[in-house]
Amino acid sequence: MKRFPLRRVLPHTVIVIYIGLSLFPLVWVLNSSFKTNKEIIASPWSFPEQLLLSNYWNAWTGAHVSQYFMNSLLISLVSAFATLCLGTSTSYALTRMKFFRSSQRIKQLLMLALLVPVGSLLVPMYLLLRDLHLYNTPLALILPYITMGLPLTVFMVNAFLKLIPNELEEAGIMDGLSIYGLLLRVIVPITLPPLVPVFMLDFLSNWNEFMMANLFLTKEKFRTLPVSMVAFYDQLNMNYGSLCAAIMFSLIPVVLLYVILHKRIIASVKA
């Protein structure tokens, strides 16, 4: 009988345990989203007697999840796309262009921005948005999200741009491409696989953000999905099944992004 050494079995065991612990809350929420309030309270670990799809309808319409969902989706997508565009352009400028000593100073400022805690900037950003009459508008979140996500995006994209040989750009210059043509027609297509996970990280960070969304958007029509979860107890009258259904709605963009972009994510990891 073939024996498996402990050093081969142990890592796989740890991985399986980790995956199980990670998936257990998700499976429990999914299971509870099909149960009645009485079933959840009486037997929280059992399977539902019947699949109660009305919880999803109640959450989507009764608690206005549809409105909060679209608000979060619009703000997160616009912020992530703008951050990626600005971050890629900035990284290309810092990597390929010479600004004497300014280039190094810009990198130092971006590094310093990564060390600043978000909580210390809430009051200054609130005052700035109020004075610019952007408070309680979608731009009150889009602009801060871009600002907070730009430093990390610049450094991540910068690491990939350093791997691209200069000969490709020289060939593009010989063909008559401008600096914008080089960026859009040479650099972006080559770095597209690495840019996909960068975009996903920015999107997920914006999608799950709570503090700024809770402070800068107080009008209900602009409220995002994470903030709306806090008020679900009042809106749904302690309906735990509908609350679990709303949580499942919040996972839809994350799952769809992975399903659509997983091949590029795997390609970037292999690269």
Side-chain angles (χ1 to χ4, degrees):
M1 184 176 179
K2 187 176 180 181
R3 295 183 178 180
F4 295 94
L6 182 61
R7 63 182 181 180
R8 294 181 58 185
V9 176
L10 185 60
H12 293 85
T13 304
V14 173
I15 292 175
V16 170
I17 294 175
Y18 174 77
I19 294 175
L21 292 175
S22 301
L23 291 179
F24 175 75
L26 177 61
V27 174
W28 186 87
V29 171
L30 177 61
N31 180 58
S32 299
S33 67
F34 296 106
K35 299 167 67 174
T36 63
N37 245 20
K38 184 179 179 180
E39 286 180 303
I40 295 175
I41 296 174
S43 54
W45 312 110
S46 64
F47 290 103
E49 296 180 1
Q50 59 179 357
L51 297 181
L52 196 65
L53 298 178
S54 60
N55 285 334
Y56 286 88
W57 179 255
N58 292 336
W60 189 254
T61 58
H64 308 291
V65 167
S66 58
Q67 178 182 347
Y68 306 143
F69 182 91
M70 295 307 300
N71 290 341
S72 290
L73 187 64
L74 176 63
I75 292 174
S76 300
L77 282 176
V78 172
S79 303
F81 183 75
T83 302
L84 186 64
C85 293
L86 293 174
T88 304
S89 304
T90 304
S91 299
Y92 182 71
L94 294 176
T95 305
R96 292 296 195 263
M97 302 178 185
K98 302 298 181 182
F99 299 102
F100 302 103
R101 296 182 179 179
S102 300
S103 180
Q104 189 63 28
R105 291 178 180 175
I106 293 174
K107 290 182 180 179
Q108 291 174 353
L109 288 175
L110 291 174
M111 181 66 72
L112 181 62
L114 289 174
L115 303 177
V116 178
V118 179
S120 64
L121 301 176
L122 291 178
V123 174
M125 284 193 293
Y126 168 80
L127 297 175
L128 181 61
L129 292 171
R130 185 193 62 183
D131 293 340
L132 293 175
H133 303 288
L134 297 176
Y135 184 71
N136 267 330
T137 66
L139 287 177
L141 281 188
I142 293 175
L143 295 179
Y145 284 172
I146 295 173
T147 304
M148 303 306 298
L150 193 59
L152 182 60
T153 301
V154 169
F155 283 112
M156 293 180 67
V157 177
N158 187 59
F160 296 115
L161 292 183
K162 289 182 178 180
L163 303 176
I164 300 176
N166 294 328
E167 288 76 11
L168 293 176
E169 295 168 78
E170 293 174 359
I173 293 174
M174 295 294 294
D175 291 337
L177 291 179
S178 64
I179 188 68
Y180 302 104
L182 289 174
L183 178 61
L184 296 176
R185 301 180 64 178
V186 178
I187 300 300
V188 171
I190 295 175
T191 58
L192 191 58
L195 291 180
V196 170
V198 175
F199 173 82
M200 285 197 65
L201 285 175
D202 288 330
F203 175 83
L204 292 177
S205 176
N206 299 335
W207 180 263
N208 296 321
E209 199 278 327
F210 176 82
M211 284 195 301
M212 287 187 286
N214 189 42
L215 180 62
F216 300 153
L217 292 180
T218 57
K219 289 184 178 180
E220 185 175 351
K221 65 177 181 179
F222 295 130
R223 185 179 292 170
T224 60
L225 196 55
V227 177
S228 66
M229 294 292 180
V230 179
F232 267 28
Y233 288 113
D234 296 330
Q235 296 180 21
L236 298 175
N237 297 319
M238 302 294 287
N239 191 330
Y240 296 108
S242 296
L243 178 60
C244 292
I247 295 175
M248 296 307 301
F249 278 124
S250 68
L251 298 176
I252 292 176
V254 180
V255 175
L256 286 180
L257 272 179
Y258 179 77
V259 170
I260 296 173
L261 305 176
H262 73 280
K263 291 184 178 180
R264 294 190 180 274
I265 296 173
I266 295 173
S268 65
V269 172
K270 290 181 178 180

